[in-house]
Amino acid sequence: MCPSKGTVWIFILLFVKNVFEQEGFGRQKRGYRNINDIEVNMSDPLFTKQWYLINTGQADGTPGLDLNVAEAWQLGYTGKGVTIAIMDDGIDYLHPDLASNYNADASYDFSSNDPFPFPRYTDDWFNSHGTRCAGEVSAAANNNICGVGVAYNSKVAGIRMLDQPFMTDIIEASSISHMPQVIDIYSASWGPTDDGKTVDGPRELTLQAMADGVNKGRGGKGSIYVWASGDGGSYDDCNCDGYASSMWTISINSAINDGRTALYDESCSSTLASTFSNGRKRNPEAGVATTDLYGNCTLRHSGTSAAAPEAAGVFALALEANPNLTWRDMQHLSVLTSKRNQLHDEVHQWRRNGVGLEFNHLFGYGVLDAGGMVKMAKEWKTVPERFHCVAGSIQETHKIQSGNKLVLAINTEACQGKDNFVRYLEHVQAVVTVNASRRGDLNINMTSPMGTKSILLSRRPRDDDSKVGFDKWPFMTTHTWGEDPRGTWVLEVGFQGEEPQRGVLKEWTLMLHGTQSAPYIDQIVRDYQSKLAMSKKEELEEELDEAVERSLKSLLSKNN
Ligand SMILES: *[C@@H]1O[C@H](CO)[C@@H](O)[C@H](O)[C@H]1NC(C)=O
Ligand SMILES: *[C@@H]1O[C@H](CO)[C@@H](O)[C@H](O)[C@H]1NC(C)=O
Ligand SMILES: *[C@@H]1O[C@H](CO)[C@@H](O)[C@H](O)[C@H]1NC(C)=O
Ligand SMILES: *[C@@H]1O[C@H](CO)[C@@H](O)[C@H](O)[C@H]1NC(C)=O
Ligand SMILES: *[C@@H]1O[C@H](CO)[C@@H](O)[C@H](O)[C@H]1NC(C)=O
Ligand SMILES: [Ca+2]
Ligand SMILES: [Ca+2]
Ligand SMILES: [Ca+2]
């Protein structure tokens, strides 16, 4: 009997994700290097305070809980040839730690329409955000000034766009589509108000700009949009933020230096991965050390704002390792190489999805691992073509009441037999129209045919909207990545909270996005594929074990 490609692939996925954790291999675990073996010596005074780069336990942190940049740097990747734009309140491009890496040609000021995105002065240094973010990505190394950027030889561009009386669709769209053949990565640490009651997202022009970016940017490989998941804390849900929850953005949450969630972290099913931000303790050195306005340095950058640029830096390292990576490759690499490490979320368990990928509702697939990412990026083959399937749609009205949740099912073949069959999932969207006497008390879960439950909407106690509800809102989940979408999807809609509520669901449309052919096989078992196809099940697993181990060895450990 010939095993299906699916079986092979599922097994490989399990293997890839577990290769660092399983016991019994005759080789060293990755990602658990001895801190004393890290031979990175920088003259920058803040370097040893940048625990998010190399965590040796500074500021009461957990040793080893970091971005593993040392490994990527040792392999020679420092961001050369990659440009990252910080879309923010400007950049102090005269800063001695930024000036040498500043890309003036790719910079612009959309807040005051000129080519100089210098921050506007205020007495309280309010407009320091962009400068701090820029330093995390591109601060120069070994120059005795401040610290070191994640991609310290990358170029940074300033796109000033947050500092005007109010935001417009045109400013957002212009920023997001600024020089897409020069800028590789756009980092955004902003979005709708984090008040726990806003439901908002990109408007028409910005949506179009994002779609154009991923389709046409970087010579068609797609602009990489990195987004902070938001600072609304447990009272907000980042799936109500249409920027963070977009499929075209990689949304990044944060962990603090001991692996816990930050108090301002929002959770949602669209977050892909995490990086680091400031601690809960008063210890000033538990913050994010970086450049600050007017040539200064700071130890106190914070928020998921601080997390997104770290991810942009890691992606710059990956792009240097392989400039061919598409916007989707970057998401696949994040899913495969991010680590649970020592992250802990007191509210949501870590779970495995139907193909064995470990995820968490707040941290996504875990913390980015720069070393793991560049090694995999180097050997990466672009994932197969992406397809889109409307798996089903329920458009009758259904009542919802407290104490009596609504359960709906869509049974789907995922467009099998048609050109747009989706067999291996990437993103899944549930487009929902629902109203409620109190929107904030609504909660919505969706379970995939392989049994993975995504929390699409959690209770938001401050949201007392009773009129608008959600109008064709695309709730997104990344949790079912790699799964086979064929079968029955279940949507559960209910109320949580003290007062009895009622509402009406008017639409649930299930949209599947992903590939028809299996990704990764080329990368991992290309030499063994034909042989494997002829093997029997048990032999298959044994052989695959060896094959994968050999391939992975060359793929992942070549440089050790
Ligand atoms: C780092 O480099 C400096 C100057 O080159 C040297 O004095 C110092 O001993 C080095 N430190 C380590 C840990 O290698
Ligand atoms: C910032 O730098 C300026 C000189 O570049 C210095 O005068 C000032 O004291 C610094 N401010 C802080 C808060 O460190
Ligand atoms: C990128 O693509 C080009 C053209 O397809 C190929 O020649 C090159 O080897 C690729 N580079 C990497 C690092 O995969
Ligand atoms: C929800 O929509 C239904 C049908 O359009 C309407 O009858 C009901 O009054 C609405 N409920 C709320 C809370 O807005
Ligand atoms: C959704 O899942 C959460 C977490 O497991 C649970 O607390 C909640 O009751 C569920 N809601 C519905 C409507 O099933
Ligand atoms: Ca420096
Ligand atoms: Ca938010
Ligand atoms: Ca996103």
Side-chain angles (χ1 to χ4, degrees), residues 227 243-251 270 476:
W227 226 271
Y243 300 84
S245 69
S246 164
M247 307 188 287
W248 300 321
T249 64
I250 300 184
S251 79
S270 57
M476 196 270 273

Side-chain angles (χ1 to χ4, degrees), residues 38-43 142:
I38 298 175
E39 291 162 13
V40 178
N41 189 3
M42 302 280 188
S43 66
N142 259 321

